[in-house]
Amino acid sequence: MQRVAILGATGSIGRSTLDVIARHPERFEVAALTANRQAADLVELAARHRPRYIAAADAVGAAELVRAVRERGLRCEVLAGPSALAAVAASDDVDTVMAAIVGAAGLASSLAAAAAGKKILLANKEALVMAGPLFMQAVAEGGASLLPIDSEHNAIFQCLPPHRPGRLDAGGVRRILLTGSGGPFRTRPRSELASVTPDEACAHPTWNMGRKISVDSATMMNKALEIIEAHWLFGVPSERIEVVVHPQSVVHSMVEYADGSVLAQLGHPDMRTPIAQALAYPERIEAGVGGLDLAAVGTLSFERPDFARFPALPLAYRVLAAGGTAPATFSAANEVAVAAFLAGTLPFLEITRVIETALARMPSQAANSLEDVLEADRNARTVASAEVNSLRARAA
Ligand code: NAD
Ligand code: MG
């Protein structure tokens, strides 16, 4: 029995994970479910999946959570507050941790799972982007195993030879080809982008995801974060990571070898496939995802990304070259800008502008400790919020 803790259980990845787990009661047991503060949703999920623990990051909702658990007659233990999630992630009652919190909020619990030597299924790419070297070091020192859930990285993982870390040349790997759909605005005239709404930005053509990552897909900031994610996960230098736009989202990424072979992983754009792959690895299990009817798909097309339309992409390479705290600044400023866009206080095209401003005002510094990373995160949020406010004042 694999005892699984799902951090971010009420989200899109969390629910897809529960869907896969429920198909295999003989293999998996839900050990813990966590959310930010969605008490009602959490209790609903707990009633269905009977975890040993439920935890809310926000201690304010704890009383409500305890009351709801009692009313439903559930027998789970309730934890709350910022340290509750890390405690769950490191618990002796947990073998596998699905890290599916969105943004920097997932960093502490992902690191706790790494230090405790868990099997980590990593969806929370922001944690790895912010603290890449520290995170990989925690995984190595804790004896954890790290399996990527992000569909592209899961595809790359499936296409790479075994014994990967730091051994790409030995494995004959030439390049990583990271595919991206191009999002909802791939062909939208630039003049119209200034006034697009949050709902338009979140209407992704091929994937159904949480709102933050949906906006990231529309700016292609998601692909920018994924370049950095691939760099840390697989130890690939950035000049060997190339983005290919593939609007159908059927090829989830590719690995090119020295002999000219290109291996790809294909499938429906459904996150249950990478989740099932990682949960059962190295075995294969049913994920509830149907077969791929290639004749019905008809055409798979590929384009070079437009760096002028999507400035986040060239920025990612610059951020990787700068190293240190630059990736944390990059990701944190984006979180602030996306939240402002979703709240209707920042126009779409200003999202990358806010990120550029934060990077320009905060030259990269050494990131030798978690405290260095968290300080860069805090400062980037301050700078980005000030920039959002000043853009707003100028527009008024
Ligand atoms: P979501 O918004 O649907 O869910 C986020 C979850 O995180 C919720 O359970 C929420 O309660 C929890 N959360 C939010 N803020 C929190 C906080 N401050 N403290 C504790 N918990 C908090 O997001 P999602 O789309 O499921 O994405 C989750 C992660 O997976 C992101 O890092 C995203 O980039 C990554 N990812 C998602 C997809 C996808 O298809 N949705 C694909 C690839 C990668
Ligand atoms: Mg992805």
Side-chain angles (χ1 to χ4, degrees):
M1 255 319 186
Q2 216 183 117
R3 299 164 304 167
V4 187
I6 303 169
L7 313 181
T10 53
S12 156
I13 293 287
R15 289 175 189 275
S16 292
T17 306
L18 286 168
D19 180 286
V20 175
I21 285 179
R23 292 167 193 274
H24 304 279
E26 73 298 347
R27 279 178 181 262
F28 309 113
E29 187 180 293
V30 177
L33 297 174
T34 86
N36 190 17
R37 59 166 77 87
Q38 299 87 333
D41 289 6
L42 206 45
V43 169
E44 206 47 55
L45 291 176
R48 203 171 328 139
H49 299 279
R50 306 278 159 176
R52 176 151 185 183
Y53 303 102
I54 59 174
D58 186 348
V60 175
E64 191 191 333
L65 202 52
V66 171
R67 195 177 336 110
V69 163
R70 204 170 305 139
E71 272 170 20
R72 294 291 289 259
L74 300 176
R75 276 203 282 165
C76 52
E77 214 172 293
V78 177
L79 304 162
S83 59
L85 304 195
V88 160
S91 163
D92 285 341
D93 298 318
V94 167
D95 306 305
T96 299
V97 175
M98 165 55 83
I101 292 172
V102 59
L107 178 61
S109 49
S110 303
L111 277 174
K118 303 299 183 194
K119 171 174 166 184
I120 306 169
L121 313 187
L122 186 74
N124 178 213
K125 66 189 89 187
E126 296 92 345
L128 187 60
V129 167
M130 292 173 69
L134 295 169
F135 194 90
M136 296 311 285
Q137 190 186 343
V139 167
E141 287 176 4
S145 52
L146 186 58
L147 292 158
I149 294 301
D150 214 347
S151 58
E152 297 77 5
H153 305 74
N154 184 272
I156 294 162
F157 178 83
Q158 294 192 49
C159 296
L160 281 173
H163 316 298
R164 297 155 322 275
R167 311 246 326 146
L168 288 176
D169 286 317
V173 174
R174 191 193 275 159
R175 276 191 311 165
I176 300 286
L177 301 169
L178 199 60
T179 53
S181 68
F185 304 142
R186 181 175 60 94
T187 56
R188 185 80 67 98
R190 209 177 150 78
S191 56
E192 290 175 20
L193 289 184
S195 58
V196 293
T197 65
D199 283 344
E200 287 176 274
C202 290
H204 197 278
T206 51
W207 293 98
N208 184 4
M209 311 180 286
R211 281 172 86 77
K212 190 263 180 183
I213 184 175
S214 296
V215 176
D216 286 350
S217 299
T219 56
M220 286 199 84
M221 182 64 183
N222 183 47
K223 214 48 55 185
L225 295 172
E226 289 181 358
I227 292 169
I228 302 172
E229 182 185 13
H231 170 75
W232 293 122
L233 274 176
F234 306 118
V236 204
S238 60
E239 64 274 14
R240 293 217 249 153
I241 305 172
E242 206 167 289
V243 173
V244 183
V245 173
H246 167 50
Q248 297 83 15
S249 303
V250 167
V251 174
H252 297 305
S253 276
M254 296 168 267
V255 175
E256 184 184 273
Y257 285 87
D259 60 8
S261 296
V262 177
L263 301 194
Q265 186 258 353
L266 284 71
H268 286 291
D270 187 323
M271 289 307 293
R272 290 176 301 175
T273 295
I275 290 167
Q277 190 276 342
L279 272 172
Y281 181 77
E283 290 172 36
R284 295 279 183 173
I285 57 170
E286 180 66 46
V289 181
L292 192 58
D293 182 349
L294 279 170
V297 174
T299 306
L300 298 178
S301 62
F302 300 92
E303 302 163 11
R304 273 180 235 294
D306 181 345
F307 276 27
R309 176 184 282 264
F310 298 111
L313 291 174
L315 266 185
Y317 291 98
R318 261 175 49 202
V319 160
L320 261 181
T325 53
T329 304
F330 187 54
S331 183
N334 178 56
E335 282 193 45
V336 171
V338 170
F341 169 69
L342 285 172
T345 57
L346 186 75
F348 180 77
L349 287 174
E350 306 286 7
I351 296 173
T352 8
R353 186 98 54 90
V354 168
I355 301 168
E356 277 170 345
T357 302
L359 286 169
R361 300 221 180 119
M362 294 179 52
S364 175
Q365 294 182 348
N368 296 324
S369 66
L370 184 58
E371 192 35 53
D372 292 346
V373 171
L374 295 176
E375 193 187 327
D377 177 83
R378 281 192 298 272
N379 291 340
R381 283 169 201 272
T382 306
V383 171
S385 301
E387 181 64 8
V388 167
N389 290 337
S390 89
L391 285 167
R392 219 178 152 192
R394 257 179 276 160

